[in-house]
């Protein structure tokens, strides 16, 4: 997509390509989307512990930078004189001309009216394309005054109030929000080139992190994170890739980024349940978690317990469940002792009346159990098997079917077999009642297969449990009959009192 916009721009050597990334080799063939959802970065977290600056201090932090950007924005027009091309001036003049072009691109136009400022918009677009070309092909480190102008131009164009659509006021019941058409920002023809420019600047080996961190500071990163709530998926994709680069290049910002993402999650889980960028933020975190050093820090374990596991609570989990599942399984694979914590967390947020969400949970449970070792399984197996038994009793055939599919996994089947003396008495009543009366033939067939696994592997225990189930069933029938007799007696007594009030 960006190739069509940028045309055949000359590229530098592979050092400045988008393959320049911390611990990974994302898809470099497509500059507009250098990181696909399946790519993984091995980013190792540093030991920095700088606290995140609160958002209320933005004005104080930005200082003169914000006032400069606002002044340029209020100008409302490009310079009247035509600036020459960077290719047409001597090397000695390119530096100053580059700064002048950056300043001219700080002017922001209104794209809600497609007939307004057509000429000026086209001039700015061509200038932005030229800036992308320059930052891609330049040799030599960017000096600090250039870095300052770059961040001011990027701030002027990107940091804005995000547009919203009326559907944000709807109750998020649904799994069908994924099918709604996303909002496409009318300013995207310019925003895309600004994002591409900033991405190439951050990824460039000519960008000195020690100088750049003075201007790409905590406040800048926090405002960048605010943009993840954009409804335009193209913008969120660029933001995801840029934040990867920032996290990898600026170690001082890593604690700030993690804490800011935590706060976004907390607000989403416990207050609004509305945010467009949860999936993209989780994808970034998946790469970060993948690079965590062992043993895991307490900070990272708390993040799992306080942020990731509660993300199972919102109704709209289907919109980000795949990315959440990847983060969860990364933790369990790194430290198998966390499996008990994760499974108990799943049980805490297990849906009661939402069958579609329950199917997702069962799929996630299988992935977690795949990485669970016997000691951890034994700690949580009783409440876990009780929940699986309840799923087997579900009238929704997809829930029952998905629960029965757990026995198709060899590792899970082995865990169950090793603890069959505890598990079989819990699971057998659900299997027996379902096999007799469930309306779906496929579920009945699967139930018969699972029942056969138990009966073949441990026939004596199976017969013992089956006998106990039948005894309990008879006792239940006797109690039910006794209750019915008692109620009938009470009804007769009430009827006699009504017909003979003198008694």
């Amino acid at each position: 997509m960006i190739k069509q916009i940028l045309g055949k721009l000359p590229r530098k050597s592979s050092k400045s390509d988008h393959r320049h990334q911390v611990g990974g080799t994302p898809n470099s063939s497509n500059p507009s989307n250098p990181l696909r959802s399946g790519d993984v970065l091995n980013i190792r977290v540093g030991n920095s512990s700088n606290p995140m600056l609160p958002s209320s201090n933005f004005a104080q932090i930005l200082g003169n930078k914000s006032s400069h950007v606002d002044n340029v924005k209020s100008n409302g027009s490009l310079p009247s004189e035509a600036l020459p091309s960077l290719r047409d001036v001597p090397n000695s003049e390119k530096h100053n001309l580059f700064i002048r072009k950056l300043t001219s691109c700080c002017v922001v136009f209104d794209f809600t009216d497609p007939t307004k400022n057509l000429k000026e918009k086209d001039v700015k677009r061509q200038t932005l394309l030229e800036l992308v070309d320059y930052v891609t092909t330049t040799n030599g480190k960017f000096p600090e005054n250039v870095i300052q102008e770059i961040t001011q131009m990027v701030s002027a164009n990107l940091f804005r109030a995000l547009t919203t659509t009326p559907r944000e006021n709807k109750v998020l019941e649904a799994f069908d929000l994924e099918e709604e058409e996303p909002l496409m920002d009318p300013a995207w023809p310019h925003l895309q080139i600004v994002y591409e420019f900033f991405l190439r600047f951050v990824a460039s080996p000519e960008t000195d992190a020690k100088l750049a961190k003075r201007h790409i500071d905590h406040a800048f990163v926090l405002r960048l994170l605010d943009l993840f709530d954009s409804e335009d998926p193209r913008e969120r994709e660029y933001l995801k890739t840029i934040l990867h680069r920032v996290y990898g290049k600026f170690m001082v910002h890593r604690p700030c980024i993690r804490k800011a993402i935590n706060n976004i999650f907390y607000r989403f889980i416990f207050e609004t349940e509305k945010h467009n960028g949860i999936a993209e933020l989780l994808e970034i975190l998946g790469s970060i978690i993948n690079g965590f050093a062992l043993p895991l820090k307490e900070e990272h374990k708390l993040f799992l317990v306080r942020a990731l596991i509660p993300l199972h609570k919102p109704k709209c989990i289907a919109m980000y469940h795949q990315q959440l599942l990847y983060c969860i399984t990364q933790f369990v694979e790194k430290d198998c002792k966390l499996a008990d914590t994760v499974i108990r967390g799943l049980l805490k947020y297990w849906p009661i009346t939402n069958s579609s969400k329950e199917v997702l949970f069962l799929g996630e449970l299988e992935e977690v159990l795949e990485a669970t070792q016997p000691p951890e399984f034994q700690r949580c197996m009783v409440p876990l098997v009780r929940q699986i038994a309840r799923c087997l009793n579900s009238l929704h055939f997809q829930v029952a079917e998905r629960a029965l599919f757990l026995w198709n996994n060899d590792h899970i089947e082995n865990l169950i077999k090793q603890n069959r003396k505890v598990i079989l008495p819990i699971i057998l009543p659900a299997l027996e009642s379902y096999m007799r009366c469930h309306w779906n033939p496929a579920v009945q067939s699967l139930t018969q297969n699972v029942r056969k696994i138990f009966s073949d592997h441990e026939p004596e225990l199976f017969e013992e449990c089956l006998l106990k189930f039948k005894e309990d069933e008879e006792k239940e029938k006797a109690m039910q009959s006794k209750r019915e007799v008692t109620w009938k007696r009470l009804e007769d007594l009430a009827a006699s009192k009504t017909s003979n009030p003198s008694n």
Side-chain angles (χ1 to χ4, degrees):
M1 179 169 57
I2 192 66
K3 288 182 179 178
Q4 296 173 356
I5 296 176
L6 297 179
K8 296 181 179 179
L9 295 180
R11 300 292 298 274
K12 284 187 68 177
S13 65
S14 60
K15 288 184 179 180
S16 64
D17 202 311
H18 288 301
R19 287 167 292 184
H20 179 76
Q21 184 171 348
V22 177
T25 56
N27 177 23
S28 58
S29 62
N30 182 2
S32 69
N33 182 12
L35 181 69
R36 297 170 298 178
S37 59
D39 292 325
V40 177
L41 303 181
N42 295 316
I43 303 178
R44 189 165 298 280
V45 178
N47 295 323
S48 177
S49 58
N50 289 2
M52 185 191 71
L53 297 175
S55 57
S56 59
N57 291 341
F58 273 163
Q60 180 181 355
I61 297 169
L62 291 172
N64 295 331
K65 184 188 297 185
S66 291
S67 61
H68 171 81
V69 169
D70 292 338
N71 290 338
V72 176
K73 278 187 178 184
S74 64
N75 185 30
S77 63
L78 294 170
S80 56
E81 72 277 8
L83 296 175
S85 170
L86 284 163
R87 292 178 177 274
D88 298 336
V89 298
N91 289 336
S92 59
E93 299 179 19
K94 285 184 178 181
H95 177 82
N96 290 331
L97 180 58
F98 180 61
I99 291 178
R100 291 178 67 191
K101 286 180 179 285
L102 285 169
T103 303
S104 71
C105 287
C106 288
V107 178
V108 179
F109 295 104
D110 179 12
F111 281 84
T112 56
D113 184 356
T115 63
K116 193 176 180 181
N117 303 115
L118 291 177
K119 183 178 178 180
E120 290 84 351
K121 289 176 182 176
D122 188 61
V123 170
K124 179 180 176 182
R125 182 175 179 278
Q126 295 302 322
T127 304
L128 287 170
L129 290 170
E130 192 178 358
L131 294 177
V132 175
D133 181 19
Y134 181 82
V135 81
T136 306
T137 59
T138 188
N139 289 309
K141 298 291 184 182
F142 293 107
E144 186 172 0
N145 64 331
V146 169
I147 295 173
Q148 181 178 9
E149 293 296 330
I150 287 173
T151 54
Q152 287 171 352
M153 187 277 283
V154 170
S155 299
N157 284 275
L158 300 187
F159 298 155
R160 66 206 189 280
L162 295 173
T163 55
T164 58
T165 55
R167 72 165 181 257
E168 285 200 353
N169 297 321
K170 294 192 327 180
V171 177
L172 290 179
E173 289 293 337
F175 287 67
D176 52 21
L177 280 182
E178 293 176 312
E179 299 175 5
E180 298 222 15
E181 289 295 325
L183 176 71
M184 299 300 181
D185 197 318
W188 185 247
H190 281 196
L191 288 176
Q192 180 180 18
I193 309 174
V194 176
Y195 273 117
E196 182 68 20
F197 169 80
F198 187 56
L199 174 60
R200 296 194 183 196
F201 167 72
V202 171
S204 172
E206 309 300 345
T207 302
D208 188 340
K210 291 183 179 179
L211 288 178
K213 72 180 182 182
R214 301 175 188 173
H215 304 283
I216 303 177
D217 52 14
H218 284 354
F220 186 96
V221 170
L222 291 174
R223 297 188 73 181
L224 204 63
L225 280 162
D226 287 340
L227 295 174
F228 273 88
D229 201 18
S230 169
E231 289 197 33
D232 194 323
R234 301 168 298 182
E235 182 168 16
R236 298 199 303 270
E237 192 69 21
Y238 261 108
L239 285 164
K240 178 184 70 177
T241 309
I242 288 170
L243 195 63
H244 267 114
R245 302 302 194 279
V246 170
Y247 192 93
K249 194 156 194 164
F250 301 93
M251 291 186 65
V252 67
H253 293 330
R254 291 181 179 183
C256 166
I257 290 172
R258 294 198 302 272
K259 189 169 184 180
I261 293 176
N262 272 7
N263 291 338
I264 291 172
F265 287 168
Y266 296 154
R267 196 175 305 114
F268 170 71
I269 296 164
F270 301 110
E271 295 179 11
T272 66
E273 289 198 12
K274 295 178 183 177
H275 196 285
N276 294 302
I278 299 299
E280 286 80 9
L281 290 170
L282 283 169
E283 196 165 334
I284 294 168
L285 284 169
S287 300
I288 294 173
I289 295 165
N290 184 266
F292 281 165
L294 295 176
L296 291 174
K297 295 180 180 178
E298 193 63 27
E299 169 201 347
H300 305 327
K301 294 179 183 178
L302 287 175
F303 168 69
L304 169 68
V305 173
R306 295 178 179 176
L308 287 186
I309 292 177
L311 275 172
H312 292 85
K313 175 178 176 284
K315 297 175 184 177
C316 57
I317 185 176
M319 300 177 69
Y320 56 82
H321 183 258
Q322 182 180 355
Q323 293 82 1
L324 176 60
L325 173 59
Y326 179 77
C327 292
I328 293 285
T329 52
Q330 284 290 302
F331 268 106
V332 178
E333 287 173 3
K334 282 187 172 291
D335 186 352
C336 62
K337 293 181 180 178
L338 292 174
D340 175 49
T341 301
V342 169
I343 291 172
R344 290 182 184 276
L346 278 174
L347 297 177
K348 177 181 178 181
Y349 293 104
W350 200 276
I352 298 173
T353 59
N354 191 330
S355 299
S356 300
K357 189 173 177 182
E358 200 165 5
V359 171
L360 288 179
F361 273 50
L362 285 165
E364 180 173 351
L365 183 61
E366 181 174 358
E367 294 285 337
V368 173
L369 287 174
E370 182 73 39
T372 302
Q373 300 304 311
E376 283 68 45
F377 179 76
Q378 289 170 2
R379 293 192 190 104
C380 61
M381 64 181 175
V382 173
L384 172 61
V385 174
R386 284 175 180 164
Q387 182 59 61
I388 293 174
R390 284 191 285 269
C391 292
L392 292 178
N393 280 323
S394 172
L395 292 177
H396 195 291
F397 82 96
Q398 288 181 330
V399 174
E401 187 178 55
R402 192 65 188 83
L404 289 165
F405 279 155
L406 292 173
W407 274 265
N408 289 346
N409 187 298
D410 292 338
H411 180 70
I412 297 175
E413 185 180 344
N414 288 332
L415 289 175
I416 293 172
K417 285 179 178 178
Q418 292 169 18
N419 301 277
R420 56 191 176 275
K421 291 184 179 180
V422 176
I423 292 174
L424 186 55
I426 299 172
I427 209 76
L428 184 63
L431 292 173
E432 288 297 316
S433 59
Y434 234 51
M435 189 179 66
R436 295 176 188 175
C437 60
H438 197 272
W439 62 271
N440 188 279
V443 170
Q444 285 186 345
S445 176
L446 286 169
T447 304
Q448 180 67 37
N449 293 338
V450 172
R451 185 179 183 276
K452 192 172 185 302
I453 291 172
F454 283 113
S455 62
D456 290 348
H457 191 75
E458 191 75 29
E460 293 182 3
L461 177 63
F462 181 83
E463 289 299 326
E464 181 184 336
C465 292
L466 185 59
L467 181 62
K468 177 71 165 55
F469 166 72
K470 290 179 178 179
E471 290 175 356
D472 292 342
E473 195 175 39
E474 290 298 325
K475 288 180 182 178
E476 180 61 30
K477 287 180 181 179
M479 290 180 65
Q480 181 64 25
S481 298
K482 188 176 179 180
R483 280 194 294 266
E484 289 175 0
V485 169
T486 303
W487 278 112
K488 183 69 170 66
R489 191 179 301 158
L490 288 172
E491 288 171 0
D492 293 343
L493 183 61
S496 66
K497 288 285 185 183
T498 304
S499 60
N500 300 301
S502 60
N503 295 333

